[in-house]
Amino acid sequence: MFHSKEGKPYFSETSITQSIQELCKKLHIVDGGGLQKMRRTHNTMLKQFGLPLDWILHQMGHEMDEVNRNHYTGTITVDISKIIA
């Protein structure tokens, strides 16, 4: 999925995380994260936008939502204007 500058695949989560953190530093993004932070953000956004839970679990590679709730779901902001018509 990810390739190095030399066009070779990365072999560890650490090497990908280091590359992400270097990019964040160059872009002046404070507290730039790695793969786990990206997964958490991805999962939270999917839930926030109301996508079906079974589809989210499939995307995340989980069978049960407990892992997502406990480790990969951040603060979800609800837009009340979309609920009350």
Side-chain angles (χ1 to χ4, degrees):
M1 183 172 165
F2 296 103
H3 287 85
S4 68
K5 293 175 188 174
E6 295 80 28
K8 297 179 181 177
Y10 286 100
F11 292 104
S12 73
E13 179 181 330
T14 303
S15 60
I16 296 171
T17 295
Q18 287 173 343
S19 294
I20 292 168
Q21 289 172 341
E22 286 175 21
L23 178 61
C24 288
K25 189 180 264 186
K26 286 180 184 178
L27 297 172
H28 305 288
I29 298 172
V30 179
D31 195 29
L35 287 177
Q36 295 304 319
K37 189 174 272 190
M38 287 175 63
R39 283 177 59 84
R40 185 172 193 236
T41 300
H42 178 69
N43 181 65
T44 301
M45 291 179 73
L46 294 176
K47 286 186 173 191
Q48 184 163 331
F49 290 113
L51 289 155
L53 182 58
D54 59 339
W55 187 83
I56 294 172
L57 293 175
H58 179 73
Q59 294 300 306
M60 297 295 292
H62 297 141
E63 292 182 14
M64 299 174 62
D65 190 44
E66 183 178 6
V67 173
N68 285 355
R69 281 194 322 269
N70 294 338
H71 301 287
Y72 292 110
T73 302
T75 303
I76 296 176
T77 306
V78 178
D79 184 353
I80 301 294
S81 68
K82 293 183 179 182
I83 297 171
I84 301 172

